[in-house]
Amino acid sequence: MAELASLLAAGLFLLGMGGSMLKNAATQTRIYTPDESAFPNAQIGYAPMTDSAYAQDSLLRYVELRWREVEPQEGVYAWDALDAQYGFRDLRARGIHLVVRFVCDVPGQESHMDIPDWLYAQTGDGSWYSTDYGKGYSPDYSNATFRAAHRRVLAALGEHFGTDGFVTYVELGSLGHWGEWHIKTGEGLVPMPGEAIRDEYVADYEAAFPTAKLLMRRPFNITAAHGLGVYNDMTGHGKDTAEWLGWLQNGGWYGEEPNALAPMPAFWQNAPVGGEFTSSIPMKTMLRSQLSQTVELVQQSHMSFLGPKVAEETYRGGYNAVLKNLGYRLRVTQLTLTPGPGGTTVTLMIRNDGNAPFYWDWSTNLYLEDAAGNPLRTLPLGLSLPELLPGQEQTVSVTLEGVRLSLSGKNGGQRLTLGIVDPMTGRDAVRFAMKTKIRNGRAVLI
């Protein structure tokens, strides 16, 4: 009897082993190799001017709109002329998004004015100047008539561009030289308004562009309180960028205001960082001899885009090194197929290897396609892109009812793809940083 019991026990053990082996054989796993190359991607990368020779395949464009060109007559907006000049219709159709900055004072070589003549006639209490910045006219931004007109023109801009996501980023804009919220008051110019009035300008932007990401040059109190992003127009300059990062970490003074800047060290987890390369250092220096410092500054800043002064492609190595470190880098690390009674469960592990999140809650879909690439099934994934921080991974699963899939490739010509849909175009627009084929903007998983 003891011998019979031993044989039965051995048989049950082997049966259990067999069950485990069958289970393991039925569950199939694929590991994907990361793509370490640099490439432009949706909502991140370089943002050159619309007519820039460096536009190449960038998916962002920078537009600086001067009030004078937007509203040449009071209440009359030059939409057709602006669309023709910047090619907005074509950019939207191609799935290219905008970085917009609205400005009232851009120093130049000749004496000029960037606000409309009709507005100058109604206000005229600003300062004509000629400084080492250049020549121009700096308005009195505290003027009530000026502020009311500013509110109207921003509302008109927001209505014209719409809420379809075409305008991805809006840099504030409006106040100071180049819209950078500083004025050469030491030269006798009318100074910047106080915090209460500055916050009114921020409110104008928030009302006009409810779906865009708003960025400010400095971390003002309202920047932190409202969860806005920031931009650094001295990118690549070690000392100035260190000062800017210090504002973000510790807050500090703004002009004669001791507590106007608020510390917001972790804001980048929820709001984006932009900017452009400094003009005070040669591009060759930033992209060659000081490339490691330039990349480190971009990484420390958690930047998503740079423009309109972007890296020059002459320095291809530096161009790509910076590009690779802008924004998110999403990839599938592992796919698992688990067959069940009603179909196949697909489990994906998705990782962010970049320096920033993907800040938009775009739809992430798994597609079952036929051999021609036509979707047979579209399954939304419960993936929270904005919450996928750098270095983190999310696991999502969906079940394809009535479908049997195999990693062997014998799936009746069907394939499994992954895509993230740009709501502006309705097309899959995000490239995953993994080595796999891309079809119709989707990563081919099987």
Side-chain angles (χ1 to χ4, degrees), residues 83-139:
D83 286 344
Q85 179 179 353
Y86 297 110
F88 291 144
R89 293 185 183 89
D90 177 63
L91 293 175
R92 182 184 258 113
R94 291 163 56 195
I96 294 174
H97 292 253
L98 295 184
V99 179
V100 173
R101 190 187 300 189
F102 181 72
V103 294
C104 303
D105 170 23
V106 180
Q109 295 183 349
E110 304 294 334
S111 181
H112 72 288
M113 187 166 59
D114 294 303
I115 65 171
D117 292 337
W118 62 264
L119 182 59
Y120 178 74
Q122 294 179 17
T123 56
D125 52 355
S127 307
W128 291 95
Y129 63 85
S130 179
T131 69
D132 57 356
Y133 282 175
K135 299 177 180 179
Y137 175 78
S138 177

Side-chain angles (χ1 to χ4, degrees), residues 33 82 125 184 199 294:
T33 304
L82 292 172
D125 52 355
K184 275 217 161 189
D199 287 355
T294 302

Side-chain angles (χ1 to χ4, degrees), residues 220-365:
F220 293 98
N221 290 321
I222 196 169
T223 313
H226 289 207
L228 307 183
V230 294
Y231 64 92
N232 175 23
D233 282 352
M234 296 298 289
T235 299
H237 193 293
K239 181 180 178 181
D240 285 2
T241 299
E243 180 184 29
W244 180 80
L245 289 170
W247 298 337
L248 296 171
Q249 186 68 34
N250 306 308
W253 287 73
Y254 173 69
E256 298 180 356
E257 302 173 43
N259 300 305
L261 304 184
M264 38 188 288
F267 80 97
W268 60 268
Q269 296 180 9
N270 300 291
V273 180
E276 68 172 334
F277 275 118
T278 179
S279 297
S280 63
I281 300 176
M283 191 65 69
K284 182 178 181 180
T285 301
M286 290 189 290
L287 297 183
R288 283 191 176 170
S289 60
Q290 294 182 7
L291 177 60
S292 59
Q293 173 184 279
T294 302
V295 170
E296 184 177 356
L297 292 173
V298 168
Q299 292 172 338
Q300 291 176 355
S301 302
H302 298 280
M303 302 191 81
S304 284
F305 72 90
L306 279 171
K309 189 172 181 62
V310 303
E312 296 176 6
E313 286 194 291
T314 303
Y315 312 103
R316 172 54 73 173
Y319 179 101
N320 284 336
V322 172
L323 178 60
K324 184 180 174 181
N325 282 280
L326 292 173
Y328 63 88
R329 285 182 73 87
L330 304 177
R331 66 183 177 96
V332 177
T333 60
Q334 178 178 303
L335 172 146
T336 302
L337 299 180
T338 305
T344 303
T345 297
V346 182
T347 302
L348 300 176
M349 297 177 67
I350 301 178
R351 179 180 175 84
N352 183 359
D353 287 329
N355 290 305
F358 186 94
Y359 295 100
W360 300 264
D361 196 18
W362 288 6
S363 298
T364 306
N365 297 323

Side-chain angles (χ1 to χ4, degrees), residues 169-230:
Y169 304 102
V170 176
E171 296 181 347
L172 286 65
S174 298
L175 302 181
H177 309 302
W178 299 286
E180 291 187 350
W181 289 51
H182 66 86
I183 296 174
K184 275 217 161 189
T185 54
E187 303 283 344
L189 280 62
V190 176
M192 286 281 288
E195 184 173 50
I197 291 178
R198 295 197 305 266
D199 287 355
E200 289 183 11
Y201 281 90
V202 177
D204 291 347
Y205 276 95
E206 291 177 321
F209 296 97
T211 60
K213 303 297 181 183
L214 306 184
L215 300 90
M216 302 190 73
R217 182 67 176 88
R218 292 165 176 78
F220 293 98
N221 290 321
I222 196 169
T223 313
H226 289 207
L228 307 183
V230 294

Side-chain angles (χ1 to χ4, degrees), residues 30 44 99 151 156 160-162 164 200 202 229 245 261 316 354 356 358 362 382-383 387 418-419 427 429 434 439-440:
R30 173 170 291 173
I44 61 173
V99 179
R151 188 173 302 112
H160 175 69
F161 282 117
D164 65 349
E200 289 183 11
V202 177
L245 289 170
L261 304 184
R316 172 54 73 173
F358 186 94
W362 288 6
L383 182 67
E387 295 180 4
L418 179 69
R427 301 191 296 264
M434 50 193 280
R439 297 286 187 271
N440 300 320

